[in-house]
């Protein structure tokens, strides 16, 4: 309809609004399905550093256009881990996109992995992946709400508020956790911890 030349500007504007609203609803519905669907984890033996490197290459052009530097600091002595490549990569992409959205030209995003194993409070051994940006940071009052479904600090139409909820669900299904630290005006760090239970030996 928008391609028709006989439409008035008012009608065209209304149709554009409907189109944008429909797209937002589509994204929300898809997000809800991803959030609620208990898909089987298709685990495979993964080199985490290689997965991160591949994921960062997907973000290079977007970061370059915004003038944000991507830095990767791979840790050594990381074991191969059994994880769902597609789902875990979607977590990394979501966190990187959020970091990029929070950044301005001249900022940087650094992804690092632990040197060897990291033991959590329960005594489980695992690996850590940290994504740190030097962007705007997150207000303290928002930190406890970040992983709530539909919570978003983005402008209307630029986020469904489901990305972090879905990401946390995927990490938890791998037996892991995500923790956040942030300071307004200085940036944020999202740290993923994944246990080695079920890894290929």
């Amino acid at each position: 309809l928008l391609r028709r030349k006989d439409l008035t500007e008012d009608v065209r504007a209304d149709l554009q609004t409907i189109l944008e609203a429909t797209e937002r609803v589509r994204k929300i519905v898809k997000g809800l399905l991803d959030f609620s669907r208990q898909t089987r984890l298709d685990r495979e033996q993964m080199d985490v550093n290689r997965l991160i490197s591949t994921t960062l290459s997907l973000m290079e052009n977007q970061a370059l256009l915004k003038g944000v530097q991507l830095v990767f600091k791979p840790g050594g002595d990381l074991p191969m881990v059994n994880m769902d490549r597609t789902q875990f990569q979607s977590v990394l992409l979501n966190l990187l996109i959020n970091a990029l959205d929070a950044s301005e030209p001249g900022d940087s995003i650094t992804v690092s992995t632990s040197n060897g194993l990291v033991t959590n409070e329960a005594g489980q051994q695992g690996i850590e992946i940290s994504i740190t940006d030097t962007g705007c940071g997150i207000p303290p009052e928002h930190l406890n709400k970040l992983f709530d479904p539909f919570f978003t600090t983005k402008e209307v139409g630029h986020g469904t508020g489901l990305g972090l909820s879905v990401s946390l669900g995927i990490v938890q299904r791998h037996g892991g956790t995500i923790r956040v630290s942030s300071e307004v005006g200085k940036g944020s760090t999202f740290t993923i911890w994944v246990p080695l239970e079920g890894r290929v030996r």
Side-chain angles (χ1 to χ4, degrees), residues 145-163:
K145 305 175 185 177
L146 285 180
F147 297 100
D148 291 350
F150 298 110
F151 178 80
T152 180
T153 58
K154 297 179 181 179
E155 296 179 4
V156 175
H158 292 276
T160 62
L162 288 170

Side-chain angles (χ1 to χ4, degrees), residues 48-65:
V48 175
N49 283 334
R50 180 173 294 181
L51 177 63
I52 293 171
S53 181
T54 301
T55 306
L56 285 172
S57 68
L58 299 177
M59 296 291 298
E60 283 179 352
N61 288 338
Q62 199 171 343
L64 183 63
L65 287 173

Side-chain angles (χ1 to χ4, degrees), residues 47-114:
D47 180 332
V48 175
N49 283 334
R50 180 173 294 181
L51 177 63
I52 293 171
S53 181
T54 301
T55 306
L56 285 172
S57 68
L58 299 177
M59 296 291 298
E60 283 179 352
N61 288 338
Q62 199 171 343
L64 183 63
L65 287 173
K66 194 167 184 179
V68 174
Q69 183 183 17
L70 294 180
V71 180
F72 182 31
K73 296 181 178 180
D77 300 322
L78 285 185
M80 302 290 282
V81 180
N82 264 355
M83 58 175 55
D84 187 306
R85 177 189 180 91
T86 301
Q87 291 195 36
F88 210 85
Q89 187 171 51
S90 73
V91 172
L92 296 174
L93 282 171
N94 183 67
L95 293 178
L96 286 168
I97 289 170
N98 285 350
L100 192 58
D101 287 344
S103 300
E104 297 293 338
D107 285 336
S108 64
I109 299 171
T110 301
V111 183
S112 58
T113 53
S114 54

Side-chain angles (χ1 to χ4, degrees), residues 124-192:
Q124 294 176 296
Q125 289 189 319
I127 62 169
E128 280 190 345
I129 303 167
S130 294
I131 299 176
T132 301
D133 66 72
T134 58
C136 60
I138 303 167
E141 63 270 22
H142 290 167
L143 287 175
N144 291 333
K145 305 175 185 177
L146 285 180
F147 297 100
D148 291 350
F150 298 110
F151 178 80
T152 180
T153 58
K154 297 179 181 179
E155 296 179 4
V156 175
H158 292 276
T160 62
L162 288 170
L164 285 177
S165 295
V166 172
S167 295
L168 178 61
I170 291 172
V171 172
Q172 287 178 334
R173 291 180 64 208
H174 281 81
T177 59
I178 303 179
R179 65 179 188 272
V180 188
S181 61
S182 185
E183 187 173 347
V184 174
K186 292 190 176 181
S188 306
T189 297
F190 284 74
T191 302
I192 303 170

